[in-house]
Amino acid sequence: MNTQSENRNTVGLWLARLLGLVLALIGLVLVGGGGWLASLGGSFYYVLAGLGLLASGILIMAGRASGAWLYILVFFATLLWAYWEVGLHGWALVPRVVAPTVLLVLVIAAMPPLAPWDYSWRSAFAGIAAVLVLMVGGGVYIATVNAPKVEGPLPAAGHLAMSDPSLKEVGSDWPAYGGTYSARRYSPLAEITRDNVGKLKRAWVYHTGDLPDSELAKGKYGAETTPLKVGDTLYLCSAMNIMIAVDPETGKERWRYDPKVSDDWIPYTAACRGVTYFEVPDATPDQVCPTRVIEGTLDGRLVAVDAETGEPCSDFGDNGSVDFKRGMGEVVPGMVSMTSAPTIVRGVIVTGHQVLDGQKRSAPSGVIQGFDAVTGEQRWAWDMTQPEITGQPPEGETYTRGTPNMWTTASGDEELGLVYLPMGNSAVDYWSGARSDAENEYSTSLVAIDVETGKPAWHFQTVHKDVWDYDLGAQATLVDFPVGEGTVPALILPSKQGDMYVLNRETGEPITGVEERPVPTGGVEPDQRSPTQPFSLYHTLRKPELTEASMWGMSPIDQMVCRIQFRRSSYEGFYTAPTSDQHWIEYPGYNGGTDWGGIAVDPSRGVIVANYNDMPNYNRLVPRAEAERKGWAPRGQQRGAIGGAEGAGDPQAGTPYAINVNAGWRLPFTGLLCKEPPYGGIRAIDMETGKTLWDRPFGEARTNGPFGIPSMLPITIGTPNNGGSVVTAGGVIFVAAATDNLIRAIDMETGETLWSDVLPAGGQATPMTYEANGRQYLVIMAGGHHFMETPIGDALVAYALPQQQ
């Protein structure tokens, strides 16, 4: 027995010495990195903790129990420092406390062989149990602090009454991408309520069959589709523009039409957000396609098919197809595409299109065009730098190349005859020196176009000389806004930088306050930077500016690395100017606050629902010579594989600098983000006052983790999200969008999750709801998305309450 005991002590001592070596090595890393951080003006904690761990490790390797006591002292000093720096903020404590706690467990376990006459395994296990209790308590605390924060009562239903200027109706049907062209994403259906939503079950699943089958397509899919429901049919498009009709009760396919888009036309993402339904007014009995479904394609066409049969409309363009690239000059495959549903007002299809970001200053034009919804004939064109060209350019000329484009979805007012265009940026996002006066005037602006003339009625700019890729991605939502004793025809415009603007939709004048505030200048183009930018006084989703203490990671080491990157970067807060000699931090990044998912508005309660992103980008302008050495070249001239996150090595040919964007600011070795969670949230806002009603992180950590390994933890962390929400008269918000592959129902009043289901792929799309045969259905496209790193799929999933037997 004594020999066995001695053997156990010998093995235990060698294990303890191995732990001491690990502590010493961690200490060396912290001393080196911590010294660097301290020299940059950062926290001294890391160098001091590193010295403590180094000494502790050396003592434990020498078999001395004092090394364990020293580590315990360092641990409790770490707890005090963590509390001093971030208080009891749950997620902020994770990198500061979790890894040191794990080491504490190991140190306690190593104490018996270091001092067998003073300690027993029983006392060691008691210490470990105490630590584990603390860790579980910490997990419960994290869950508690991520609960919705209710800040005000929900306005009562019937508080407001709004007409819909798009002259479409939502209810049994869902006739347009945003419900109607007012883009409220609201349904008056109320069969599904807060009380019974927990009983929702899958009613059917339909597979489009459109999945990547070539090397060009792999890693570039993201369907993003929101179906329409008109009459007795659902209409949708697949990632590669296959138009499909299905039965709304069973999901059985009725017809499909494949416009045969080649994979080489995939831009950044193979995506089709939706189709458009049009009924020919006063159609005669011999009218071709009296009802038609229209989509824009990835290869630059408008395609119209019969809503009943899926056959091309022979009276529309060239046997059902119109090439909207005409007049643009040379277009390399993938440079021009349409990923959003067209908007039709007064019989005019108003189109923008996507121009692939970051490629070259002389990219194809962002010209806006109007086409006759029956014949496909071009009615007008708006080229912002050549307003005298109202149709096709003169022979031998083209629409102005490189101008801002509208890649997202427009909203429309049938009564006013206006279409509201959320405009993007000029062809090169992060360099402004070569832009024309007209580009500087209309870039990153909401432009109201008169559909009869194709001329701008008014415009409102949200960013002056945008070099942050803050293009407007969300539809404007049309509302009747309360003012005094009455209402004003208005629109609510959300933005990537988080601000929401309320504008008179007749005039473009702000209804709520907008203030020009000083912002940082400098960078590589100091003479180009605007000294002020417009800030909304109504509402912003933007969070406080970053600090060194905002940095995150899985352990003190990667948090320290993020702190060093923060200290070495240019960061002067919001609108930090782009730099080349060092990285600069853009916060919010180009994917948030609000992107193409837009907002939802309950017009009865007067409540805005906005899911949003809260992540920085870590950017650097790369001098042209360096970019050439790296082989960065525009689409059509590439010298390697096309792919990666948007902006990660974009050439910006024709300017002095390429751009390298680290979207989300991720560390290369763990894949974790440098900013502490949450990275996304969802919020309810009182429309009348702009005040927050509740706010909560949105998205669980279940599919995220270090090194790309899913943690499987059902803990709300607040993940990145793409796609919008739908609100209903039943008091329920339906939303997917997050990276956890869940669709969920959220209580409109409290922000609490009432129900959720795991989707067969990522839910990066906006759901919709409709009624068929007296039953309310919820439908979501589970297509996944390469940028969001969610699984790719082809499933359209429908939910409903169980039928009464």
Side-chain angles (χ1 to χ4, degrees):
M1 293 293 294
N2 290 337
T3 302
Q4 291 179 352
S5 177
E6 289 173 2
N7 288 339
R8 283 198 300 267
N9 286 337
T10 300
V11 172
L13 187 57
W14 277 108
L15 289 175
R17 285 172 173 163
L18 179 60
L19 174 62
L21 177 62
V22 171
L23 291 175
L25 291 174
I26 294 173
L28 281 174
V29 173
L30 292 177
V31 168
W36 189 6
L37 177 62
S39 71
L40 295 171
S43 172
F44 278 84
Y45 160 77
Y46 296 89
V47 66
L48 296 175
L51 290 171
L53 262 69
L54 180 60
S56 171
I58 291 172
L59 289 170
I60 291 175
M61 283 191 290
R64 297 175 62 179
S66 56
W69 286 112
L70 178 57
Y71 178 81
I72 292 171
L73 180 62
V74 170
F75 176 80
F76 281 104
T78 294
L79 292 182
L80 292 174
W81 166 78
Y83 177 76
W84 170 79
E85 192 172 50
V86 297
L88 292 176
H89 177 22
W91 285 115
L93 290 173
V94 168
R96 294 167 169 86
V97 172
V98 171
T101 301
V102 171
L103 290 176
L104 177 64
V105 171
L106 298 175
V107 167
I108 292 173
M111 292 183 79
L114 292 175
W117 53 89
D118 289 332
Y119 301 97
S120 67
W121 287 103
R122 182 180 299 173
S123 61
F125 281 123
I128 292 171
V131 171
L132 290 176
V133 168
L134 288 173
M135 293 178 70
V136 171
V140 171
Y141 174 74
I142 286 174
T144 302
V145 299
N146 282 290
K149 298 176 177 62
V150 179
E151 300 181 25
L154 190 75
H159 173 63
L160 296 174
M162 296 186 195
S163 60
D164 194 320
S166 75
L167 306 187
K168 289 183 177 291
E169 291 186 6
V170 163
S172 174
D173 287 352
W174 189 270
Y177 173 71
T180 73
Y181 292 141
S182 290
R184 293 172 185 168
R185 296 174 180 82
Y186 168 79
S187 173
L189 297 180
E191 179 194 357
I192 302 171
T193 67
R194 290 178 292 181
D195 295 329
N196 63 23
V197 69
K199 299 177 182 178
L200 276 184
K201 302 293 183 184
R202 289 190 186 183
W204 50 260
V205 178
Y206 169 76
H207 292 277
T208 68
D210 186 359
L211 290 168
D213 59 1
S214 72
E215 290 303 318
L216 277 173
K218 288 177 181 176
K220 298 184 71 174
Y221 259 51
E224 302 179 358
T225 304
T226 298
L228 308 184
K229 194 266 186 177
V230 181
D232 65 350
T233 308
L234 281 182
Y235 302 98
L236 65 144
C237 53
S238 73
M240 291 297 291
N241 296 124
I242 300 172
M243 303 167 77
I244 301 167
V246 302
D247 185 298
E249 292 186 70
T250 66
K252 183 179 179 180
E253 182 179 306
R254 289 185 172 160
W255 57 254
R256 66 166 46 208
Y257 175 75
D258 187 351
K260 303 295 184 182
V261 175
S262 172
D263 284 356
D264 62 347
W265 279 93
I266 297 175
Y268 177 63
T269 300
C272 180
R273 295 191 187 96
V275 297
T276 302
Y277 183 89
F278 181 71
E279 184 173 343
V280 177
D282 303 318
T284 60
D286 60 349
Q287 171 68 55
V288 176
C289 298
T291 57
R292 52 189 62 188
V293 181
I294 301 168
E295 74 168 353
T297 66
L298 297 177
D299 58 1
R301 292 177 286 157
L302 283 175
V303 175
V305 302
D306 190 299
E308 293 297 320
T309 67
E311 293 297 317
C313 298
S314 58
D315 63 344
F316 185 86
D318 181 9
N319 194 33
S321 179
V322 171
D323 186 351
F324 63 75
K325 303 186 299 299
R326 291 179 305 153
M328 293 186 189
E330 180 190 13
V331 177
V332 172
M335 284 294 293
V336 170
S337 60
M338 191 182 296
T339 55
S340 298
T343 297
I344 303 176
V345 169
R346 296 186 179 178
V348 180
I349 308 170
V350 180
T351 67
H353 52 271
Q354 178 183 19
V355 177
L356 192 62
D357 273 354
Q359 301 303 297
K360 55 184 177 180
R361 180 68 185 102
S362 60
S365 177
V367 60
I368 304 297
Q369 301 178 76
F371 296 90
D372 189 287
V374 177
T375 67
E377 178 184 358
Q378 186 188 50
R379 296 271 287 268
W380 48 258
W382 176 55
D383 180 344
M384 64 180 63
T385 71
Q386 302 181 91
E388 69 280 2
I389 298 178
T390 58
Q392 284 292 302
E395 187 175 351
E397 298 182 26
T398 68
Y399 296 122
T400 310
R401 297 184 73 85
T403 51
N405 62 88
M406 187 204 72
W407 57 267
T408 188
T409 311
S411 44
D413 187 322
E414 189 81 16
E415 295 175 350
L416 295 175
L418 297 178
V419 172
Y420 304 97
L421 310 174
M423 296 298 292
N425 211 339
S426 296
V428 171
D429 283 309
Y430 300 93
W431 171 263
S432 61
R435 296 175 190 169
S436 65
D437 291 342
E439 289 176 271
N440 285 330
E441 181 178 359
Y442 289 106
S443 172
T444 318
S445 296
L446 188 74
V447 179
I449 291 281
D450 186 322
V451 296
E452 303 290 349
T453 66
K455 302 291 185 184
W458 55 260
H459 67 281
F460 175 83
Q461 188 168 63
T462 61
V463 183
H464 307 319
K465 291 192 176 182
D466 180 4
V467 287
W468 300 273
D469 198 10
Y470 281 154
D471 49 349
L472 291 170
Q475 275 183 292
T477 296
L478 311 189
V479 298
D480 296 332
F481 194 79
V483 175
E485 298 299 317
T487 60
V488 173
L491 58 82
I492 300 171
L493 176 65
S495 66
K496 285 185 176 181
Q497 60 269 37
D499 280 351
M500 290 186 185
Y501 305 88
V502 182
L503 309 177
N504 185 310
R505 66 173 183 267
E506 293 182 303
T507 67
E509 292 297 317
I511 295 173
T512 55
V514 178
E515 180 178 272
E516 291 283 337
R517 295 179 184 169
V519 294
T521 55
V524 297
E525 299 178 281
D527 57 326
Q528 289 285 323
R529 296 287 63 76
S530 173
T532 65
Q533 293 287 356
F535 286 70
S536 172
L537 305 183
Y538 171 70
H539 191 89
T540 186
L541 301 168
R542 193 166 54 253
K543 299 299 178 70
E545 293 180 359
L546 299 175
T547 65
E548 183 194 319
S550 308
M551 299 301 100
W552 206 66
M554 134 177 120
S555 70
I557 291 176
D558 47 342
Q559 185 186 43
M560 178 183 67
V561 172
C562 289
R563 286 176 180 251
I564 291 170
Q565 290 186 354
F566 177 85
R567 286 289 180 178
R568 297 187 69 205
S569 302
S570 173
Y571 180 61
E572 301 176 67
F574 194 31
Y575 289 119
T576 295
T579 53
S580 176
D581 56 342
Q582 61 184 140
H583 285 84
W584 94 91
I585 298 168
E586 176 190 351
Y587 181 61
Y590 62 44
N591 200 39
T594 304
D595 205 345
W596 55 264
I599 59 173
V601 172
D602 183 330
S604 174
R605 294 180 175 89
V607 174
I608 301 167
V609 175
N611 53 297
Y612 59 91
N613 286 300
D614 184 24
M615 297 178 295
N617 286 352
Y618 187 63
N619 304 340
R620 177 176 166 253
L621 288 172
V622 179
R624 178 59 50 208
E626 183 180 341
E628 289 290 333
R629 289 195 301 272
K630 293 176 180 291
W632 296 353
R635 184 73 169 248
Q637 303 172 34
Q638 61 271 12
R639 288 170 259 166
I642 303 170
E646 184 176 330
D650 283 352
Q652 298 201 141
T655 73
Y657 299 97
I659 180 65
N660 197 16
V661 175
N662 180 342
W665 189 2
R666 299 170 66 165
L667 285 172
F669 39 95
T670 64
L672 295 180
L673 279 66
C674 268
K675 175 196 165 290
E676 68 189 22
Y679 307 119
I682 187 166
R683 181 180 297 180
I685 303 156
D686 187 318
M687 189 187 78
E688 188 169 356
T689 65
K691 298 290 181 63
T692 296
L693 298 172
W694 51 259
D695 187 24
R696 57 164 283 188
F698 169 53
E700 294 180 1
R702 55 193 301 275
T703 64
N704 303 104
F707 311 109
I709 302 170
S711 70
M712 306 308 295
L713 295 173
I715 297 174
T716 297
I717 190 173
T719 71
N721 56 89
N722 260 353
S725 64
V726 168
V727 297
T728 72
V732 179
I733 303 162
F734 293 109
V735 63
T739 60
D740 55 16
N741 306 330
L742 296 176
I743 183 167
R744 45 176 58 80
I746 293 175
D747 190 323
M748 185 84 166
E749 185 171 343
T750 66
E752 296 283 352
T753 297
L754 301 169
W755 164 88
S756 66
D757 187 46
V758 180
L759 294 169
Q764 279 64 59
T766 301
M768 50 83 79
T769 186
Y770 61 89
E771 185 180 81
N773 196 23
R775 192 181 187 195
Q776 184 180 353
Y777 291 81
L778 166 71
V779 169
I780 180 72
M781 181 70 197
H785 204 284
H786 65 107
F787 177 71
M788 304 299 286
E789 299 179 3
T790 55
I792 303 301
D794 69 336
L796 188 70
V797 186
Y799 298 89
L801 295 173
Q803 291 180 299
Q804 298 295 326
Q805 299 297 323

